[in-house]
Amino acid sequence: MLRLTAGRVGSLVVSRATVAWTTSSARMASHTHEVTEMVDMSQPMYLDSQETPLPDKPYKDVLTAADKSLKQKEKGPWSQLSKEEKIALYRLSFCQTFAEMKQPSAEWKTVTGGIFIVLGITGLVVLWQSAYVYPPPPRTFGEEWQAKQVQRMLDMRVNPIEGFSANWDYEKGQWK
Amino acid sequence: MSLPKPVMRGLLGKRLRFHAPIAVVLSIVAAVAFKYGVTEPRKQAYADFYKQYDAVKEFNAMREAGVFESVRPTGE
């Protein structure tokens, strides 16, 4: 499932058409704390995804002095890097490890709960419908008609070898 | 941190060499099971039915029940 972060929602909402009404309306002017970060979608972006394991850009592109010296050390032989340095270099390039990405969430409970709720509402709608919407059923559905239909099918010997009439005992006049 | 290099080639061939004989065997089993579970009993059922079948008797029974349009029951 794609995780929709706040930044992305902000960038999705901000388009040429909506910039006018989001920033000029009186309601929005009072919400000074709701300034969403404007993401430039024309630049390469970072994304943690199992399907694309190598994102378009490294996670951290503004490096501190310590990070820069570590990057310099990375240009040398890697056997000289300690374990913590290797992990620090990984975390510079990537936000989450694959193990962290793959961690299961509790989303399935919300999804199945929502499905059952909607099925329940649908069931209520169907009940109301069967009481108030449906016209009277056709006469072919009635008990008497159905009995006469079965009798006619037996008289015609419908499927007498393996099917319908094969289950009827013609001598005794009853089902086998 | 020196892991063995993982297998990079021949993955599809390996999968097919494993699964294809199983698929062939299962298909043959399915066909044989269908033949002896379904078609042979059905052929026997038809043979047994027609061994004791009197067409004229059945026709008269159907006629008396009134299902034909070309020939009505003997009473009418």
Side-chain angles (χ1 to χ4, degrees):
Chain A
M1 294 295 284
L2 291 175
R3 298 285 164 89
L4 207 54
T5 63
R8 283 176 204 281
V9 169
S11 58
L12 284 170
V13 165
V14 174
S15 66
R16 281 177 60 232
T18 58
V19 159
W21 59 258
T22 46
T23 53
S24 65
S25 68
R27 279 189 298 114
M28 288 308 290
S30 64
H31 292 184
T32 46
H33 59 278
E34 260 185 61
V35 177
T36 49
E37 187 186 298
M38 310 264 280
V39 175
D40 187 357
M41 299 278 264
S42 63
Q43 299 292 326
M45 284 168 48
Y46 178 80
L47 177 67
D48 275 320
S49 157
Q50 284 186 60
E51 293 89 37
T52 49
L54 299 175
D56 297 336
K57 76 168 183 61
Y59 181 52
K60 291 212 171 71
D61 32 12
V62 284
L63 301 172
T64 66
D67 292 337
K68 286 196 180 117
S69 65
L70 194 56
K71 279 283 183 187
Q72 278 299 112
K73 196 173 173 194
E74 193 192 16
K75 292 184 184 171
W78 286 345
S79 49
Q80 288 178 358
L81 292 169
S82 73
K83 184 162 167 240
E84 291 78 22
E85 286 175 329
K86 288 179 192 173
I87 293 175
L89 281 167
Y90 180 91
R91 292 288 175 185
L92 282 181
S93 301
F94 303 103
C95 177
Q96 285 182 315
T97 65
F98 263 71
E100 286 162 15
M101 264 193 258
K102 282 183 190 176
Q103 256 171 13
S105 72
E107 192 187 6
W108 68 272
K109 295 176 197 169
T110 311
V111 172
T112 48
I115 288 173
F116 286 137
I117 288 170
V118 172
L119 280 177
I121 294 170
T122 308
L124 289 173
V125 170
V126 168
L127 266 182
W128 174 85
Q129 203 173 264
S130 63
Y132 290 97
V133 175
Y134 291 156
R139 60 186 171 153
T140 54
F141 279 48
E143 277 298 324
E144 206 191 301
W145 188 286
Q146 288 279 318
K148 287 200 274 185
Q149 191 169 303
V150 168
Q151 182 57 57
R152 192 175 148 80
M153 282 168 75
L154 291 169
D155 291 340
M156 284 195 286
R157 309 294 192 270
V158 170
N159 287 334
I161 302 171
E162 277 192 328
F164 192 77
S165 306
N167 297 322
W168 179 261
D169 191 342
Y170 282 94
E171 271 97 58
K172 290 193 203 138
Q174 62 186 22
W175 294 107
K176 285 185 190 160
Chain B
M1 275 240 222
S2 58
L3 302 163
K5 180 170 172 175
V7 177
M8 306 289 261
R9 290 162 187 260
L11 297 166
L12 178 64
K14 180 175 163 203
R15 181 191 164 83
L16 286 178
R17 270 192 299 277
F18 178 78
H19 283 91
I22 296 172
V24 168
V25 166
L26 281 180
S27 305
I28 292 173
V29 165
V32 168
F34 192 81
K35 182 181 174 70
Y36 290 106
V38 176
T39 61
E40 288 303 316
R42 185 169 288 164
K43 279 159 53 176
Q44 194 56 43
Y46 272 73
D48 293 340
F49 178 81
Y50 283 111
K51 219 171 274 174
Q52 305 297 330
Y53 187 65
D54 182 359
V56 179
K57 174 169 160 250
E58 291 293 315
F59 166 76
N60 283 323
M62 281 195 254
R63 175 191 181 171
E64 296 312 315
V67 294
F68 293 129
E69 288 179 19
S70 53
V71 45
R72 300 308 304 167
T74 46
E76 296 166 24

